[in-house]
Amino acid sequence: MGNLVAIVGRPNVGKSTLFNRLTNTRHAIVSDVAGTTRDRQYGKCEWCGKEFSVVDTGGWVVNSDDIFEDAIRRQVIVATEEADLVLFLVDIKNGVTDWDEDVAQILRRTKLPVILVANKADNNEDNYYASEFYSLGLGDPYTISAATGSGTGDLLDLIMETLPNTEKEEMENIPRFAVVGRPNAGKSSIINAFIGEDRNIVTEIAGTTRDSIYTKYDKFGFDFYLVDTAGIRRKNKVTEDLEFYSVMRSIRAIENSDVCILMIDATRGIEAQDMNIFQLIQRNNKSLVVVVNKWDLVQDKSQIAIKTFENAIRERMAPFVDFPIIFASAVTKQRIFKVLETAQRVYENRKARVGTTKLNEVMLPLIEAFPPPSIKGKFIKIKYCAQLPDTQIPSFVFYANLPQYIKEPYKRFLENKIRENWEMTGSPINIFIRQK
């Protein structure tokens, strides 16, 4: 299980700077998929061979004074429920504010490890000012400068020492499906529809309350785990419409699954929040099945309406468009079975293998017909390609004389041609260009 670290603190203490500093220790973390403004709020950090996820709570707040403080307070509460460790960031130049005291009070009540981080300590004199933060009652303040990076290495060491050791339980090597989506899209009803009243098939492997719960499903010839974040079952004081809340809730389920079943509410269409969850799925390289739920409530069920809806979804999620979309209803159980069949098929596609000879036979003539555009009068030649063994998702390497000149659009062209010739629907694909 991945560990989750949340950065909390009032505005302008440097949360985003620290977030960037932590996540950029690993360059490939985020492909810059433009999309939501909140793209920058979630990332992975690797230190000394261990990896954890980082969430910056700062980007989720609407800036208006009255609801502002309330919103941040709610987020701190959600963060403490979902994370394994909280970094509480304060500003050494400003000293302790009422607001810091407020947050400290919430953090003191949690059972969670909290590291108090005093940011903007740009020189040694600043370190003396850190002592006033002892009044927050959260132990030693840890001085850093997120902007220059000083102290962040030691902070990472401390994070690693403090994070709980999450050893994976031994689980069978069968697919793991996560049902995700924003609140009220019908996640729990579809899970109940899958499992039915026939509860005896449920064997739950639970860890701590924050872990995902795996429900084993083995009837009708299926055998897989349904990944459900335990938290979803605890109804909470937090208002359900909070976008941050549903994203925090989804992170774990997504990270611990192979295939994500993304629920979209047919009565509301695809919204920004669905896109945020889609971004998480994409960044974690998970396979995707989109389920348009509550289809029983839609008046116009014509083929034209279905096509229009499908196009709207694919348009928003482009350039990744090769995934199945199913129109279903958890309540009437319409096409519920098809959701499982499709998730199973998408999982198989994730493991698809293409023989090297066949791959070259198909791809090289296509590349010859549409070579990469020449740059500065240099002709780019791709001579050979192969699928990499033992990768999480299908990954292909193309050997070229000038790999640095092959840009994203051409990689997309290669990916599309692979998809046209081999069944990889629902699965992400990696394309690498290397020096031949």
Side-chain angles (χ1 to χ4, degrees), residues 4 39 100 124 153-154 182 194 231 254 269 314 376 396 417:
L4 189 54
D39 239 18
D100 293 329
N124 286 343
D154 293 343
R182 60 190 153 78
F194 287 156
I254 291 171
R314 292 192 203 282
K376 304 182 185 138
F396 298 88
K417 290 300 170 206

Side-chain angles (χ1 to χ4, degrees), residues 261-273:
I261 298 169
L262 174 59
M263 306 287 289
I264 290 177
D265 183 335
T267 60
R268 298 179 60 167
I270 185 164
E271 299 184 331
Q273 206 169 332

Side-chain angles (χ1 to χ4, degrees), residues 219-259:
K219 55 180 185 181
F220 307 126
F222 288 110
D223 196 10
F224 58 83
Y225 286 116
L226 265 176
V227 184
D228 186 4
T229 41
I232 294 176
R233 306 188 175 193
R234 280 201 318 261
K235 268 286 169 273
N236 204 286
K237 300 173 289 297
V238 179
T239 45
E240 282 279 339
D241 58 2
L242 203 60
E243 201 171 333
F244 173 69
Y245 172 84
S246 64
V247 169
M248 284 294 282
R249 284 277 192 260
S250 309
I251 287 175
R252 264 217 172 67
I254 291 171
E255 290 187 340
N256 294 334
S257 67
D258 300 306
V259 179

Side-chain angles (χ1 to χ4, degrees), residues 176-180 253-254 257-262 281 286-290:
R176 291 180 297 188
F177 301 155
V179 179
V180 293
I254 291 171
S257 67
D258 300 306
V259 179
C260 294
I261 298 169
L262 174 59
I281 295 170
K286 303 301 179 185
S287 302
L288 173 68
V289 175
V290 171

Side-chain angles (χ1 to χ4, degrees), residues 206-227:
T208 65
T209 46
R210 297 198 165 72
D211 278 348
S212 296
I213 281 185
Y214 294 95
T215 305
K216 192 164 186 298
Y217 182 105
D218 53 2
K219 55 180 185 181
F220 307 126
F222 288 110
D223 196 10
F224 58 83
Y225 286 116
L226 265 176
V227 184

Side-chain angles (χ1 to χ4, degrees), residues 187-385:
K187 294 190 296 291
S188 18
S189 19
I190 202 165
I191 289 175
N192 291 338
F194 287 156
I195 295 172
E197 295 320 298
D198 183 6
R199 290 281 162 172
N200 58 359
I201 58 159
V202 178
T203 45
E204 291 187 347
I205 304 177
T208 65
T209 46
R210 297 198 165 72
D211 278 348
S212 296
I213 281 185
Y214 294 95
T215 305
K216 192 164 186 298
Y217 182 105
D218 53 2
K219 55 180 185 181
F220 307 126
F222 288 110
D223 196 10
F224 58 83
Y225 286 116
L226 265 176
V227 184
D228 186 4
T229 41
I232 294 176
R233 306 188 175 193
R234 280 201 318 261
K235 268 286 169 273
N236 204 286
K237 300 173 289 297
V238 179
T239 45
E240 282 279 339
D241 58 2
L242 203 60
E243 201 171 333
F244 173 69
Y245 172 84
S246 64
V247 169
M248 284 294 282
R249 284 277 192 260
S250 309
I251 287 175
R252 264 217 172 67
I254 291 171
E255 290 187 340
N256 294 334
S257 67
D258 300 306
V259 179
C260 294
I261 298 169
L262 174 59
M263 306 287 289
I264 290 177
D265 183 335
T267 60
R268 298 179 60 167
I270 185 164
E271 299 184 331
Q273 206 169 332
D274 301 314
M275 286 307 295
N276 282 321
I277 295 174
F278 169 70
Q279 301 280 354
L280 287 173
I281 295 170
Q282 248 201 330
R283 287 218 207 134
N284 277 290
N285 272 334
K286 303 301 179 185
S287 302
L288 173 68
V289 175
V290 171
V291 175
V292 179
N293 187 30
K294 307 188 186 176
W295 193 240
D296 52 318
L297 303 179
V298 173
Q299 302 292 293
D300 180 2
K301 296 185 174 67
S302 65
Q303 278 306 310
I304 296 171
I306 289 179
K307 249 319 152 251
T308 312
F309 209 123
E310 280 192 355
N311 291 343
I313 292 174
R314 292 192 203 282
E315 222 160 89
R316 291 289 298 274
M317 297 187 177
F320 180 42
V321 290
D322 186 16
F323 53 83
I325 300 176
I326 299 167
F327 293 83
S329 161
V331 176
T332 65
K333 295 199 163 55
Q334 177 193 19
R335 298 201 192 89
I336 287 299
F337 202 68
K338 187 167 182 205
V339 173
L340 292 183
E341 285 179 340
T342 308
Q344 185 71 39
R345 197 182 82 231
V346 163
Y347 175 76
E348 302 301 334
N349 293 347
R350 211 179 155 75
K351 301 193 146 5
R353 299 285 315 150
V354 180
T356 306
T357 322
K358 191 79 192 122
L359 187 67
N360 283 279
E361 269 172 22
V362 173
M363 295 301 290
L364 293 182
L366 288 170
I367 291 167
E368 209 160 297
F370 296 96
S374 59
I375 291 190
K376 304 182 185 138
K378 292 189 169 67
F379 288 101
I380 304 161
K381 289 199 168 29
I382 294 176
K383 284 285 186 235
Y384 177 74
C385 52

